[in-house]
Amino acid sequence: MSQQQNLSDLEAKLSALSAAEGLALIADLFPGKVVFSTSLGQEDQVITALIASQNLPIQIFSLDTGRLFPETLDLLSRTEAKIRQKIKVYYPTTNSVEKLVGEIGINGFYESVENRKSCCFVRKVEPLKRALAGNEIWITGLRAEQSANRSDMRHIEWDEGNQIIKYNPLLNWTFDQMIGYINEHRIPYNPLHDQGFVSIGCAPCTRAIMPGEDARAGRWWWEDSKKECGLHAR
């Protein structure tokens, strides 16, 4: 059976399950080979809670780029206390950061899309590849309504860039559904969300959005290019 057929069969199964049930199935089908990358956004906080509440054998990890908001780092600590387990943190390599800053400057990512993508690669993409290495399933918090770029995604996809199967358990969740779950289960979240920050990344590259703006308008707001960093390139 081809990989495409296998993914189609798995998509059919997962589409009929809740997010919690889907996570349990994935953990059972791929024992020891499932990882979840959390950026500590609201979607990811929901998934972390779903994993922890079922005590699923899924490694939770996060990327510390070195430019995160203090509120994000504080949330990491509060989340570990809530779920009573450690979240593995990956960092960019010292040599790569020093080389990058030496070439473009500390804030050179504002000067061109090429510079910004170079910064994202060093601080996010390369550490992600290390975190995913040796695993078969990468769980993400992507939702279809987050942006037009993500509206045609499926629960299960093959990520060519990282050579891994990607599972999006909250794909069809609405924003209100997500907030309702967070409130009901008292899940900790970033206080910046209450200040108009919807999608939160590195501090220099994130701003609050204005009423009526797209959810990702606050990311790399000075660019007219596609608002992705390379982690979920398609």
Side-chain angles (χ1 to χ4, degrees):
M1 185 179 295
S2 68
Q3 182 189 66
Q4 183 175 359
Q5 184 59 53
N6 286 334
L7 293 182
S8 294
D9 292 346
L10 189 52
E11 171 74 23
K13 292 179 181 178
L14 292 170
S15 296
L17 300 177
S18 67
E21 293 168 337
L23 287 165
L25 176 63
I26 288 292
D28 183 59
L29 292 176
F30 301 89
K33 296 293 184 179
V34 184
V35 291
F36 167 49
S37 60
T38 175
S39 65
L40 301 160
Q42 289 166 309
E43 291 84 359
D44 293 341
Q45 290 298 93
V46 169
I47 295 175
T48 294
L50 291 173
I51 292 172
S53 66
Q54 300 180 87
N55 197 29
L56 297 177
I58 295 173
Q59 173 70 61
I60 304 174
F61 72 87
S62 190
L63 307 177
D64 185 346
T65 65
R67 303 298 298 267
L68 299 180
F69 286 96
E71 290 89 345
T72 302
L73 297 176
D74 178 66
L75 178 59
L76 174 63
S77 178
R78 290 192 289 125
T79 301
E80 289 180 329
K82 174 75 173 180
I83 66 175
R84 297 183 180 179
Q85 69 182 72
K86 290 293 184 181
I87 294 173
K88 185 172 179 60
V89 181
Y90 288 84
Y91 298 87
T93 64
T94 301
N95 288 343
S96 295
V97 173
E98 289 179 350
K99 183 174 184 292
L100 174 76
V101 174
E103 291 175 348
I104 71 172
I106 194 66
N107 287 332
F109 44 80
Y110 289 127
E111 297 172 4
S112 71
V113 174
E114 180 181 15
N115 282 1
R116 194 271 293 170
K117 289 185 175 180
S118 294
C119 188
C120 286
F121 182 86
V122 166
R123 296 181 183 275
K124 300 170 73 174
V125 177
E126 191 281 326
L128 175 71
K129 290 184 181 297
R130 282 190 274 122
L132 297 180
N135 293 289
E136 295 184 46
I137 300 288
W138 170 25
I139 298 169
T140 84
L142 298 178
R143 291 187 302 111
E145 71 171 19
Q146 285 173 323
S147 71
N149 298 334
R150 300 175 178 182
S151 61
D152 63 343
M153 285 185 166
R154 302 176 67 82
H155 287 95
I156 283 287
E157 297 186 315
W158 174 250
D159 188 291
E160 184 65 29
N162 292 294
Q163 294 290 294
I164 196 170
I165 298 170
K166 188 158 62 176
Y167 173 41
N168 311 308
L170 302 189
L171 183 69
N172 295 327
W173 280 42
T174 65
F175 179 81
D176 289 343
Q177 184 179 2
M178 175 185 69
I179 296 301
Y181 191 91
I182 287 173
N183 291 336
E184 179 182 355
H185 296 275
R186 298 182 179 179
I187 297 172
Y189 66 89
N190 197 320
L192 291 175
H193 288 304
D194 294 332
Q195 300 173 36
F197 290 79
V198 178
S199 177
I200 302 172
C202 293
C205 303
T206 307
R207 66 161 172 80
I209 66 170
M210 302 298 290
E213 280 191 310
D214 180 84
R216 289 180 67 79
R219 302 293 295 277
W220 313 293
W221 69 91
W222 64 93
E223 293 182 6
D224 293 326
S225 63
K226 185 177 178 181
K227 297 297 185 76
E228 297 287 355
C229 63
L231 294 184
H232 300 291
R234 305 181 66 206

